[in-house]
Amino acid sequence: MDEVFRALADPGRRQLLDSLNQRNGQTLRELCDGMGMARQSVSKHLAVLEAAGLVTTERRGREKLHYLNAAPVNAIADRWISRYDRPRVQALAALSSQAAFFSEALTMGFSYTTYIATTPEKLWTALTDPAFTREYWGVAFETDWTPGSPMTWTEAGVTISDPAQVVLEAVPGRRLAYTWHTFTPEFAKVHGFSEEWLASAVQGSRSKVTFDIEPQGAMVKLTVTHDDFGPDDVAFQGVGEGWAQLLSSLKTLLETGSALPAG
């Protein structure tokens, strides 16, 4: 937590976070172009932000993409809000605003990092085995988890199949990626989405989600990246909050044996 406060104290680092908030998933070169700052200085600032958990990275070929991570700021807000009564929470309005700032929809993607006291093998099972996914997510996948294979989603009694729902990458214990599901009238109805929302959602881009798994001693670092959204995709509006809740439930299930109650 101290590292997060120190990282946010520098105006240059806040400017970098502003840049990523405007357009997530930038390379070092792209961030340097918008900063008016030497490459070495930007690299140092990014290293501080990454050490504090405010920025996560992902390799795409030779490029290294940088993403905002809302988890540390949300953790600060949760700690203070749960400890103090409402009047004192109001005195921390600036801190709450920072949490909201990081949770707002980004233009092209969302990245969230959490640490779980488990093993890569158990985490992989929790991400792919229907018995686990139903418990913390309420979703079951039917697929053989081979790249290129189709995926069928079943949630709240609704089954969604589409040729574009496919496994993209599957390296057990290391990396999993697949395209997001199709938005159907049945899906919209069971979740209470309007016909207007559905009409907009089906016009959006086919997004994808990637799970990167890294062992960290007795912990596992899990980074979830949900991207490939178009700038006007309505489906992106609830991504940040949805993944934060989902991964909290996954973490609780693996560490305690029980998922969080459905919200």
Side-chain angles (χ1 to χ4, degrees), residues 65-78:
L65 304 183
H66 299 80
Y67 294 87
L68 284 177
N69 179 35
V73 175
N74 286 332
I76 289 174
D78 289 343

Side-chain angles (χ1 to χ4, degrees), residues 24-25 58 60 65 67 107-111 168 175 177-180 205-210 224-230 233 236 239 243:
N24 215 17
E58 178 185 352
R60 294 279 182 87
L65 304 183
Y67 294 87
T107 54
M108 297 300 292
F110 172 86
S111 184
L168 298 174
R175 186 177 175 90
Y178 47 81
T179 56
W180 203 241
S205 304
R206 173 77 63 171
S207 64
K208 76 174 189 297
V209 61
T210 303
V224 178
T225 304
H226 196 160
D227 57 8
D228 282 4
F229 289 93
D233 283 357
F236 185 62
V239 166
W243 277 114

Side-chain angles (χ1 to χ4, degrees), residues 157-187:
V158 174
T159 298
I160 305 173
S161 297
D162 190 281
Q165 292 173 190
V166 296
V167 179
L168 298 174
E169 297 180 68
V171 183
R174 291 181 55 193
R175 186 177 175 90
L176 177 66
Y178 47 81
T179 56
W180 203 241
H181 67 78
T182 303
F183 297 109
T184 66
E186 295 79 11
F187 172 85

Side-chain angles (χ1 to χ4, degrees), residues 2-259:
D2 289 342
E3 289 184 353
V4 176
F5 281 117
R6 282 194 291 267
L8 292 173
D10 185 274
R13 290 193 282 272
R14 293 198 300 271
Q15 187 179 347
L16 279 170
L17 296 177
D18 286 341
S19 179
L20 289 174
N21 186 57
Q22 293 172 4
R23 184 167 64 85
N24 215 17
Q26 295 188 56
T27 64
L28 175 60
R29 178 183 56 79
E30 290 171 328
L31 288 167
C32 289
D33 289 344
M35 286 289 291
M37 189 184 300
R39 183 185 181 93
Q40 185 176 8
S41 297
V42 174
S43 294
K44 288 182 178 179
H45 281 316
L46 287 172
V48 173
L49 292 169
E50 190 170 355
L54 291 165
V55 166
T56 60
T57 60
E58 178 185 352
R59 286 284 181 184
R60 294 279 182 87
R62 296 183 178 180
E63 293 186 327
K64 184 178 182 181
L65 304 183
H66 299 80
Y67 294 87
L68 284 177
N69 179 35
V73 175
N74 286 332
I76 289 174
D78 289 343
R79 172 181 172 179
W80 288 95
I81 290 172
S82 63
R83 180 172 294 185
Y84 294 100
D85 57 19
R86 184 174 181 83
R88 295 190 182 185
V89 170
Q90 291 174 341
L92 295 171
L95 180 61
S96 299
S97 296
Q98 284 286 350
F101 164 80
F102 283 102
S103 298
E104 287 179 352
L106 309 175
T107 54
M108 297 300 292
F110 172 86
S111 184
Y112 194 105
T113 297
T114 187
Y115 292 83
I116 305 174
T118 188
T119 66
E121 293 76 19
K122 289 180 179 178
L123 179 53
W124 179 266
T125 298
L127 293 173
T128 58
D129 189 328
F132 279 88
T133 57
R134 284 193 193 97
E135 191 165 354
Y136 67 87
W137 193 343
V139 174
F141 302 109
E142 183 180 337
T143 182
D144 62 8
W145 297 113
T146 300
S149 293
M151 296 178 66
T152 297
W153 296 52
T154 301
E155 177 184 5
V158 174
T159 298
I160 305 173
S161 297
D162 190 281
Q165 292 173 190
V166 296
V167 179
L168 298 174
E169 297 180 68
V171 183
R174 291 181 55 193
R175 186 177 175 90
L176 177 66
Y178 47 81
T179 56
W180 203 241
H181 67 78
T182 303
F183 297 109
T184 66
E186 295 79 11
F187 172 85
K189 181 178 180 179
V190 77
H191 288 286
F193 294 125
S194 67
E195 293 183 3
E196 291 76 15
W197 182 93
L198 179 62
S200 296
V202 297
Q203 297 298 320
S205 304
R206 173 77 63 171
S207 64
K208 76 174 189 297
V209 61
T210 303
F211 302 85
D212 285 301
I213 303 168
E214 302 176 48
Q216 302 273 321
M219 309 283 287
V220 175
K221 177 183 177 183
L222 173 63
T223 300
V224 178
T225 304
H226 196 160
D227 57 8
D228 282 4
F229 289 93
D232 299 319
D233 283 357
V234 298
F236 185 62
Q237 297 173 4
V239 166
E241 181 180 356
W243 277 114
Q245 294 174 350
L246 178 69
L247 295 177
S248 293
S249 189
L250 169 61
K251 175 180 171 69
T252 302
L253 174 62
L254 287 171
E255 293 183 344
T256 71
S258 299

